[in-house]
Amino acid sequence: MASLNPEQHDAVHHLDSPLLVLAGAGSGKTGVITRKVAYLLAQSLRPNTEVMAVTFTNKAAREMRDRINGLLRARPARPPWISTFHSLGLRLLQHDGRAAGLKPGFSIFDSGDGRGLLRELTRQDAEIGDADLQRLQHRISSLKSELVLPAAALSAAEDEDALRLARLYGDYERHLRAYNAVDFDDLIALPVRLLGEDPDLRERWQNRLAHLLVDEYQDTNAAQYQMLRHLVGPTARFTVVGDDDQSIYAWRGARPENLQRLQQDFPQLRVIKLEQNYRSTGYILKAANTLIAQNDHLFEKRLWSRLGEGERLRVLACEGSDDEVQRVVGELLQHRLTHRARYADYAILYRSNHQARPFERALREHQVPYRITGGSSFFDAAEVRDLLAYLRLLQNPDDDAAFLRIVNVPRREIGAGTLEKLAGYAQGRRVSLLTAAGEMGLRQYVPERSAERLYTFAEWMARMQRTAHEEDAPTCLKRLLEGIDYMNWLAESDKNPRAVEKRQKNVRDLMDWFTRLQARWADEATLERLLAHISLVGMLDRQEEADADEVQLLTLHSAKGLEFDHVYLVGMEEDLLPHRNSLDAGTLEEERRLAYVGITRARRRLTLTYAARRRVGGEDADREPSRFLSELPAEALDWERPGDAADPVAQKARGRAHLDALRDMLARED
């Protein structure tokens, strides 16, 4: 506790009333949360109660758990529950899901499963394409986040479009329950509904809670706020930590006004501001403070630091987008070699994913290792999704979406017509597709050969279900792979040897991951828990973090929570940052918060770039510098425009950096 500043110390020790900690960027909020958990565990907690700390990603929960364990001298009798909101919701459903109509072993649909179900429900409408399905899925997700049930959506519909959406939402929900499945949004919405409707269940969960801590509170949506209210109850034993200046997820339902609702719903709320920044130098903070001051604020705060003024921010005005890429990559190489820095000390941040491609090409040309966040996920690979669908069906025989994915993987010559007749038979019998496939009565509806193939598949799945109950999860997966000869099928289904090897490696990686989780969890590594864990990892943290020496390429949304010694914030242009869609939607303040997040990622050095011309829609177009550049304090900036006299020392250093990079590349090839 000795390392805490006075405000942090107050936040850790305050237990007399609910607490809101307004934690500016780089102000040590994680240290406050972890120390408060340790402090709470040192108190005399009520019997059979526990401390819960909730955040938004598995990575953040892991880091919090590791830091808390490092602070504790001994393992407490009741260790704290550190999780994401969705893991907490899953925990509640696993205990009390029957009240929501769920049977044990229910499946968790990811976005791909949900989109597949919507595609099936709208198959009669030929005009609905993938983009439309994605839009419909987003709208249904928004309704769930706002706790709007299908019946309420139907009664509130004011036009034909809203009416169609409400009916589709109702069909979607009925099919989920028939599959004994929930989607990602249900992990919050269903627990909130149960807690709101069942006073006994609500009191039971409130009584087990000693104190609730919530990180990144400004990112909560309506459903998550209601979950907090139901869990803390009238005693209001909670601490929330957030920063309205870093609220950048309105597009997925986040409500920064939840900060204000706390004051209304909990009048005894105390507010403590953390304004001392331990990350960035003075000029960086001056730029950040001046920029964000343009927004309206629920709470006023101003970051300050004892790290000195540091370097002024550099603004590079580039002639074109290609020039921007070459300037950034060339200067990065030069700076790294002259300062003997690591590649991992550098980050290139941008507003939209498409901006990454030219930087990737340039970094590859110079043999610079890099890591891009937000690309394709291991869990999106077809072979991984195939095997997880098999395991889901073993765990939950009612999961028709999983059945339809794998019934012909590998090929079993079961055609679409046969599956349509199977679906009709199953619907008439009110059973799942897998159950229907194993019934003798099906032979009256489909050809004998097709019925035999379906029956053989159902019988094999029944044997595999017995294996799943008797063996551990890695052994079950191994038996599954052997039973369908999956590795050989992958080899035969693609003529490209490199593609085959990549797909087979993904399968081996999945097996290795199951084995590691089995070793870590021992007897608790049930197939149900492993599948739930994988679903949440897949949806919350699509990529495993790697401790490698690589330049980081990230969108501004992905960069939140991270920090780097040297940051390049590229594409500071109108229609990019702020983005055209946001300007049309009237969300300029959120775009300014995005720029603020980008600026406050930098510890020591920040470079902002824009191009006078950029290719847009296949054509070169003139660009205007971002209005946010004009909102930054002039005394904190050094501008470099085309035509400015070149610094001969810097020019020579850049040339030397390129030569050194070429020598490194040739040395590696030798």
Side-chain angles (χ1 to χ4, degrees):
M1 298 293 181
S3 63
L4 299 176
N5 66 36
E7 292 76 20
Q8 291 172 332
H9 186 275
D10 284 352
V12 168
H13 291 84
H14 180 79
L15 299 177
D16 297 334
S17 66
L19 175 65
L20 166 60
V21 181
L22 283 171
S27 63
K29 70 178 179 65
T30 305
V32 167
I33 293 174
T34 53
R35 282 175 171 82
K36 184 150 193 174
V37 171
Y39 178 68
L40 284 162
L41 294 174
Q43 309 304 303
S44 297
L45 301 179
R46 291 175 295 119
N48 301 318
T49 61
E50 58 188 320
V51 175
M52 294 184 187
V54 183
T55 186
F56 280 84
T57 68
N58 293 306
K59 177 177 178 287
R62 282 196 303 271
E63 290 177 350
M64 194 184 296
R65 190 179 299 112
D66 290 343
R67 290 180 67 165
I68 290 168
N69 289 337
L71 290 169
L72 299 174
R73 291 192 179 92
R75 185 177 176 83
R78 291 184 68 85
W81 174 266
I82 314 294
S83 75
T84 63
F85 268 106
H86 293 87
S87 296
L88 177 57
L90 175 61
R91 182 187 185 190
L92 192 148
L93 289 179
Q94 287 172 335
H95 278 85
D96 297 294
R98 287 188 184 278
L102 295 172
K103 294 180 284 188
F106 58 84
S107 296
I108 303 173
F109 274 29
D110 65 13
S111 59
D113 299 319
R115 202 152 45 245
L117 175 54
L118 290 175
R119 185 177 290 109
E120 178 66 20
L121 295 175
T122 58
R123 69 183 185 280
Q124 303 297 334
D125 192 341
E127 295 183 0
I128 293 183
D130 288 343
D132 298 310
L133 284 174
Q134 198 163 359
R135 179 180 58 84
L136 289 168
Q137 186 176 32
H138 178 73
R139 291 179 68 183
I140 290 173
S141 175
S142 296
L143 288 169
K144 290 193 176 188
S145 295
E146 295 295 319
L147 300 174
V148 178
L149 294 173
L154 193 62
S155 63
E158 296 181 347
D159 54 40
E160 191 61 32
D161 183 54
L163 194 62
R164 282 196 300 269
L165 175 69
R167 287 170 178 161
L168 178 62
Y169 178 22
D171 287 345
Y172 176 77
E173 287 295 277
R174 283 190 290 274
H175 278 75
L176 279 180
R177 296 299 92 83
Y179 296 166
N180 191 34
V182 296
D183 66 13
F184 198 46
D185 298 300
D186 285 331
L187 295 178
I188 305 295
L190 284 179
V192 169
R193 199 175 85 208
L194 293 178
L195 290 167
E197 294 175 351
D198 188 335
D200 292 336
L201 184 147
R202 183 169 63 247
E203 185 177 358
R204 192 162 68 247
W205 279 87
Q206 289 172 357
N207 287 340
R208 71 191 300 174
L209 181 66
H211 200 92
L212 177 66
L213 299 96
V214 181
D215 191 14
E216 304 290 3
Y217 178 75
Q218 76 282 345
D219 294 337
T220 54
N221 59 28
Q224 288 157 341
Y225 179 71
Q226 288 302 326
M227 178 181 275
L228 178 145
R229 286 194 64 192
H230 287 322
L231 287 173
V232 300
T235 57
R237 291 183 291 267
F238 70 81
T239 299
V240 300
V241 183
D243 180 9
D244 53 332
D245 289 334
Q246 296 187 74
S247 180
I248 57 174
Y249 296 116
W251 51 276
R252 67 185 190 199
R255 288 183 167 187
E257 59 267 27
N258 283 347
L259 290 160
Q260 197 169 31
R261 288 189 66 184
L262 281 175
Q263 289 187 312
Q264 298 166 357
D265 294 337
F266 301 96
Q268 70 274 43
L269 181 79
R270 182 180 175 192
V271 179
I272 295 176
K273 299 179 185 179
L274 304 184
E275 296 173 293
Q276 182 176 356
N277 178 284
Y278 295 90
R279 174 189 300 161
S280 305
T281 54
Y283 278 127
I284 293 171
L285 294 183
K286 187 170 188 175
N289 285 329
T290 305
L291 177 71
I292 205 63
Q294 306 295 319
N295 278 3
D296 292 332
H297 280 81
L298 300 172
F299 304 94
E300 293 295 334
K301 65 180 182 305
R302 189 171 184 84
L303 298 178
W304 61 276
S305 171
R306 289 200 172 105
L307 299 177
E309 287 190 325
E311 295 183 31
R312 283 194 287 267
L313 285 62
R314 296 172 64 238
V315 182
L316 300 185
C318 305
E319 293 180 349
S321 52
D322 290 341
D323 179 39
E324 178 187 49
V325 171
Q326 295 306 318
R327 288 285 300 276
V328 168
V329 174
E331 291 206 2
L332 187 155
L333 284 168
Q334 170 209 340
H335 190 272
R336 174 184 170 271
L337 288 169
T338 54
H339 291 79
R340 300 184 181 279
R342 300 174 71 239
Y343 284 119
D345 294 335
Y346 298 85
I348 301 173
L349 309 183
Y350 38 84
R351 175 62 175 84
S352 301
N353 277 312
H354 68 83
Q355 293 173 258
R357 297 185 193 114
F359 288 99
E360 284 190 85
R361 285 195 297 270
L363 291 169
R364 282 199 300 267
E365 287 170 6
H366 289 88
Q367 297 289 296
V368 175
Y370 68 89
R371 176 179 176 80
I372 183 166
T373 299
S376 296
S377 162
F378 170 74
F379 295 99
D380 290 330
E383 54 278 5
V384 174
R385 291 178 66 84
D386 287 345
L387 295 174
L388 292 180
Y390 266 106
L391 295 174
R392 275 172 40 193
L393 191 58
L394 290 178
Q395 175 63 33
N396 175 16
D398 293 330
D399 192 336
D400 285 356
F403 176 93
L404 290 170
R405 180 176 183 90
I406 51 86
V407 69
N408 266 319
V409 178
R411 190 74 181 159
R412 296 185 177 91
E413 298 182 2
I414 299 171
T418 297
L419 290 174
E420 191 170 346
K421 291 175 183 176
L422 172 67
Y425 173 79
Q427 188 173 7
R429 294 270 298 127
R430 298 195 174 189
V431 296
S432 71
L433 294 177
L434 181 60
T435 299
E439 291 189 353
M440 298 302 294
L442 178 64
R443 297 172 188 267
Q444 300 175 30
Y445 296 86
V446 301
E448 181 67 25
R449 289 183 62 189
S450 298
E452 188 59 36
R453 292 188 186 111
L454 286 168
Y455 184 80
T456 300
F457 174 66
E459 282 290 290
W460 179 76
M461 285 296 294
R463 292 195 298 274
M464 283 302 305
Q465 282 177 323
R466 290 192 289 272
T467 299
H469 287 299
E470 296 166 0
E471 305 279 4
D472 59 35
T475 303
C476 179
L477 181 56
K478 181 181 178 184
R479 299 271 190 272
L480 177 67
L481 290 168
E482 292 169 349
I484 59 178
D485 199 18
Y486 193 72
M487 294 299 239
N488 283 332
W489 179 75
L490 287 177
E492 293 167 1
S493 61
D494 198 319
K495 295 180 181 178
N496 184 339
R498 292 182 64 183
V500 169
E501 173 54 31
K502 182 178 180 181
R503 297 186 72 186
Q504 290 180 335
K505 182 179 183 301
N506 283 337
V507 173
R508 290 191 293 270
D509 287 347
L510 183 65
M511 172 66 81
D512 290 344
W513 198 34
F514 265 54
T515 303
R516 289 197 300 274
L517 289 176
Q518 178 75 34
R520 188 191 310 168
W521 292 346
D523 294 340
E524 296 180 3
T526 62
L527 184 59
E528 179 182 2
R529 185 180 178 191
L530 285 167
L531 288 174
H533 177 73
I534 288 172
S535 295
L536 291 178
V537 168
M539 288 181 275
L540 291 171
D541 298 312
R542 280 295 189 178
Q543 291 180 313
E544 290 292 315
E545 298 299 319
D547 185 20
D549 189 18
E550 301 165 322
V551 174
Q552 307 293 302
L553 275 66
L554 308 102
T555 64
L556 289 168
H557 286 99
S558 301
K560 185 167 171 290
L562 304 177
E563 56 186 68
F564 307 92
D565 280 353
H566 314 289
V567 169
Y568 294 88
L569 179 46
V570 302
M572 291 288 291
E573 301 154 23
E574 289 293 298
D575 296 343
L576 261 183
L577 184 65
H579 196 278
R580 166 52 53 193
N581 293 343
S582 297
L583 292 174
D584 293 341
T587 55
L588 178 63
E589 289 205 344
E590 178 148 334
E591 291 293 295
R592 190 176 283 110
R593 291 195 291 268
L594 262 181
Y596 173 85
V597 165
I599 290 171
T600 54
R601 298 312 94 194
R603 294 191 190 106
R604 297 167 53 191
R605 187 169 174 268
L606 175 62
T607 303
L608 310 164
T609 73
Y610 70 91
R613 292 184 64 78
R614 187 179 297 275
R615 185 162 285 271
V616 179
E619 297 182 359
D620 285 337
D622 292 335
R623 309 289 290 182
E624 291 293 326
S626 170
R627 69 190 70 191
F628 297 150
L629 291 174
S630 65
E631 294 176 358
L632 299 177
E635 64 273 19
L637 306 180
D638 279 335
W639 287 75
E640 295 183 24
R641 296 178 173 87
D644 288 352
D647 180 349
V649 175
Q651 200 170 41
K652 184 176 180 180
R654 271 197 297 274
R656 189 166 60 248
H658 284 296
L659 286 174
D660 289 343
L662 180 61
R663 290 193 195 98
D664 288 347
M665 180 181 70
L666 294 173
R668 281 194 289 270
E669 289 179 351
D670 289 343

